[in-house]
Amino acid sequence: MKRKVLLVALAVVLTGSLALAGCGTSGNTTADKTKDQVVVGISSEPTSLDEEQITDYNSDRVASEIYDTLVRFKDKSMEVEPDLATSWDISTDGLTYTFHLRDGIKFQDGTAFDAPAVVWNYKRMTDKTAPGYDTGTYGYAETIFGEVKDCTAPDAKTVVFTLKEPFAPFLSMMAMTQFSINSPTAVMKYGKDYTKNPVGTGAFKFKSWKTGTEVDLEANPDYWRGAPKIKTLIYRFIKDDNVRQNEFESGTLNFMVDIIPDNLANLKANKNYVVEEGESLHTWYLSLNCYTKPFNDVRVRQAFMYGINRKAIVDGILLNTGTLADNLLPPAIPFYTDDVPKYDYNPTKAKELLAAAGQSNLTVDFYVPESGSGMQQADTMATAIQSDMAKCGVTLKIQKLEWGAYLDKMFRDPKGQDMLLGQMSWMSDNGDADNFLRVLCGGDQWPAAGFNSAYFKNADLDAALKQGMQSSDPAVRTAAYKKAQQIIMEQVPYVTVDHEKQIVVYDKGLTGVVVNPRGFFRFQDASWSN
């Protein structure tokens, strides 16, 4: 979602080397003609450009160029550094965070950035009576501010957050793009249309949104870190992986994500391209509705873990562009443990568990999104899962939805939820175990309060998650999160499939692009070298 949720999907049919047929391999030409421009190919159209409302990955990639946050993640890590705040103080009891703001910053509409603007944004997301609250919905409000008691501005350059109880990940929460600071003037001017008229303090300004085609941004000449060298930044939405790669190789794109695994070797072999690969904070999984039969029975959930040949998906479909997920938490995140229950491919065991649960002839609608980010080979993986579970006596009826409608359906109140099984992925928003384990499995994180789309609740898990969340002692957090991971993988609210590697490809002449582990890009220092 998403991301942070962060949250995310792409429906394609894997056609392998056919994507390369008839395509030139000499490097881009068309897009190279305009050296003050970069065109980025992404897999889905943004749902919004208002960061405070964004819950999906590709929307975040586009909108993050427009805004700044109080603090931000460093270019190549999830370590926090100053952004709109120059420094901060944390009280000894861990309940008060005081941020000291930069002087002279203006929003892109000329409005002054100050502490009251930060408080206004906080209240917009949390107070139903506040100005601007009725202009949108804020899926991350509880995630970011659930532990906040109050936010005040004692003067124009100071913001104070007072917490209800100690919350170890709070500083990382402040670096999440979902608390990007919007211009209050612009929000009130555009109302609900602000989603397509965003105004921040970031490196690029919104220029236009061509529905179904692209979002165009232009350099902010007054950006406080320095005006970008790239004058126009275009995000083009191309759902089909093959079409997107053809566009890249023909020269109409300079930068591309969501690469078909079969085509990766060819791209790596081309000296005109740069292919970046790295660990990500990502897990792809099936969300099982634990609130409703049949998935309210742990035996049925475990049967799906045994019945799906997850390694075959990683090896044969994803071609090792991901690693097998034996845990919901990615190995790249601190406090990860390998000491959790494991599930080898065992259809016989799956059938035994289904029989014991009285579900030997189970039929379930299986929801698959048509597009979106982070969902890898959604169609192909769905077909493989359908085939695997058929061998266990389970009939999965694939139901496809457009990405926005898919998210609306998955994250709704459980009493009105008829989605029992659906694909989803999660990219950590802040690199902390809390943002995976509590946000996806916490009993207080059911939609619409959070992103626990499994509607899972376990008292022992919630106790461990709270301990990990409140303690600043690494040893205490390690023990708490180890217990939490063990409970999650024993209870199986989600069928974990893989941790996707972060892979992007771009023209060799494009330099200075930053790809953060969280999955977003920074083009503020990008330029063409030739």
Side-chain angles (χ1 to χ4, degrees):
M1 234 322 298
K2 169 245 296 342
R3 136 307 347 353
K4 218 157 93 321
V5 173
L6 235 188
L7 304 166
V8 343
L10 182 58
V12 298
V13 177
L14 189 60
T15 56
S17 60
L18 291 179
L20 299 177
C23 299
T25 57
S26 59
N28 289 5
T29 55
T30 304
D32 283 355
K33 294 177 182 178
T34 307
K35 290 300 185 182
D36 60 353
Q37 172 179 290
V38 172
V39 185
V40 180
I42 58 177
S43 60
S44 64
E45 185 166 7
T47 58
S48 170
L49 293 180
D50 177 358
E51 277 284 13
E52 293 179 2
Q53 297 194 59
I54 288 173
T55 58
D56 72 291
Y57 203 10
N58 274 330
S59 299
D60 197 13
R61 283 170 163 166
V62 180
S64 62
E65 297 287 354
I66 301 170
Y67 301 97
D68 293 314
T69 45
L70 293 182
V71 295
R72 72 174 196 171
F73 300 116
K74 290 184 176 180
D75 281 349
K76 294 291 186 179
S77 77
M78 299 301 289
E79 185 180 345
V80 171
E81 67 177 3
D83 200 19
L84 289 174
T86 58
S87 61
W88 53 88
D89 304 311
I90 306 173
S91 63
T92 53
D93 62 6
L95 294 178
T96 305
Y97 287 71
T98 303
F99 294 91
H100 308 285
L101 308 185
R102 294 184 188 278
D103 288 319
I105 306 294
K106 289 186 180 295
F107 290 102
Q108 294 150 358
D109 62 358
T111 304
F113 163 77
D114 55 16
V118 176
V119 175
W120 189 95
N121 275 266
Y122 162 77
K123 290 186 179 296
R124 181 206 181 198
M125 296 178 69
T126 60
D127 183 352
K128 293 181 180 180
T129 67
Y133 180 87
D134 61 355
T135 61
T137 56
Y138 315 101
Y140 274 92
E142 179 65 24
T143 299
I144 299 173
F145 301 119
E147 302 304 317
V148 175
K149 181 179 180 180
D150 197 13
C151 174
T152 60
D155 58 58
K157 296 302 173 187
T158 308
V159 176
V160 179
F161 285 89
T162 304
L163 307 189
K164 302 170 187 174
E165 55 189 357
F167 183 46
F170 184 70
L171 197 59
S172 293
M173 289 291 189
M174 291 294 96
M176 287 171 55
T177 50
Q178 281 72 23
F179 191 47
S180 294
I181 308 303
N182 299 281
S183 163
T185 302
V187 174
M188 297 307 293
K189 175 181 177 180
Y190 292 107
K192 291 184 178 180
D193 290 334
Y194 179 75
T195 60
K196 290 194 174 184
N197 295 278
V199 178
T201 60
F204 289 88
K205 301 191 296 182
F206 175 75
K207 182 178 181 181
S208 65
W209 186 335
K210 300 168 186 174
T211 302
T213 304
E214 66 187 37
V215 169
D216 295 2
L217 308 180
E218 59 184 358
N220 178 4
D222 302 316
Y223 185 48
W224 59 274
R225 291 181 185 270
K229 296 177 183 177
I230 298 298
K231 302 307 177 187
T232 304
L233 182 59
I234 298 172
Y235 284 85
R236 191 162 292 156
F237 347 122
I238 305 173
K239 292 182 180 181
D240 188 286
D241 285 355
N242 291 313
V243 174
R244 189 168 57 258
Q245 182 156 329
N246 288 344
E247 291 287 319
F248 176 77
E249 293 191 331
S250 68
T252 58
L253 301 177
N254 308 115
F255 188 104
M256 180 179 65
V257 298
D258 296 322
I259 299 156
I260 294 177
D262 271 0
N263 298 341
L264 187 58
N266 298 67
L267 293 169
K268 287 181 176 180
N270 192 316
K271 296 180 180 180
N272 293 297
Y273 304 144
V274 174
V275 177
E276 279 196 34
E277 289 186 86
E279 281 191 297
S280 73
L281 311 178
H282 172 276
T283 302
W284 194 100
Y285 54 86
L286 301 183
S287 182
L288 310 178
N289 187 337
C290 303
Y291 183 77
T292 306
K293 292 182 178 181
F295 294 116
N296 60 349
D297 190 322
V298 67
R299 295 170 295 185
V300 177
R301 304 196 298 266
Q302 290 174 340
F304 272 66
M305 281 294 288
Y306 283 116
I308 297 170
N309 194 340
R310 299 174 300 126
K311 188 175 188 304
I313 291 174
V314 172
D315 295 344
I317 295 176
L318 300 178
L319 301 179
N320 297 306
T321 54
T323 57
L324 183 65
D326 283 327
N327 194 335
L328 183 64
L329 191 69
I333 293 182
F335 308 115
Y336 168 88
T337 181
D338 189 49
D339 185 12
V340 295
K342 302 291 200 310
Y343 299 84
D344 295 328
Y345 177 52
N346 190 335
T348 300
K349 179 69 172 176
K351 286 189 281 189
E352 291 173 353
L353 286 166
L354 289 167
Q359 299 291 347
S360 294
N361 297 299
L362 180 61
T363 298
V364 181
D365 285 340
F366 180 19
Y367 284 87
V368 177
E370 290 181 346
S371 64
S373 52
M375 293 304 290
Q376 304 168 287
Q377 306 302 308
D379 256 4
T380 312
M381 295 165 79
T383 302
I385 290 167
Q386 182 186 50
S387 176
D388 286 343
M389 291 312 298
K391 297 171 186 175
C392 303
V394 175
T395 300
L396 299 182
K397 295 182 177 180
I398 294 176
Q399 309 289 340
K400 294 185 181 180
L401 290 176
E402 178 274 329
W403 182 235
Y406 187 85
L407 293 178
D408 288 342
K409 187 171 183 64
M410 174 160 279
F411 297 104
R412 61 172 58 172
D413 187 279
K415 293 180 181 178
Q417 179 61 279
D418 61 359
M419 182 190 285
L420 303 183
L421 175 66
Q423 296 180 350
M424 188 47 66
S425 74
W426 186 262
M427 169 73 77
S428 174
D429 299 298
N430 60 18
D432 193 279
D434 173 83
N435 186 250
F436 242 94
L437 304 180
R438 184 176 61 89
V439 169
L440 295 183
C441 301
D444 61 348
Q445 295 294 305
W446 290 18
F451 297 97
N452 182 348
S453 59
Y455 308 102
F456 180 69
K457 185 174 180 64
N458 179 284
D460 290 339
L461 173 63
D462 286 340
L465 293 175
K466 185 171 184 178
Q467 186 178 38
M469 177 185 77
Q470 292 185 342
S471 178
S472 58
D473 185 337
V476 172
R477 299 193 82 198
T478 296
Y481 286 133
K482 179 178 181 179
K483 181 178 180 180
Q485 290 167 75
Q486 290 172 337
I487 293 171
I488 290 167
M489 294 315 298
E490 177 187 6
Q491 292 295 312
V492 194
Y494 304 102
V495 174
T496 57
V497 176
D498 82 295
H499 306 297
E500 183 185 22
K501 296 177 183 177
Q502 183 168 231
I503 304 173
V504 299
V505 59
Y506 52 91
D507 290 340
K508 187 176 181 180
L510 182 61
T511 63
V513 181
V514 173
V515 182
N516 186 270
R518 187 172 175 257
F520 57 76
F521 322 123
R522 287 181 179 142
F523 286 93
Q524 193 256 323
D525 293 324
S527 62
W528 289 101
S529 63
N530 53 34

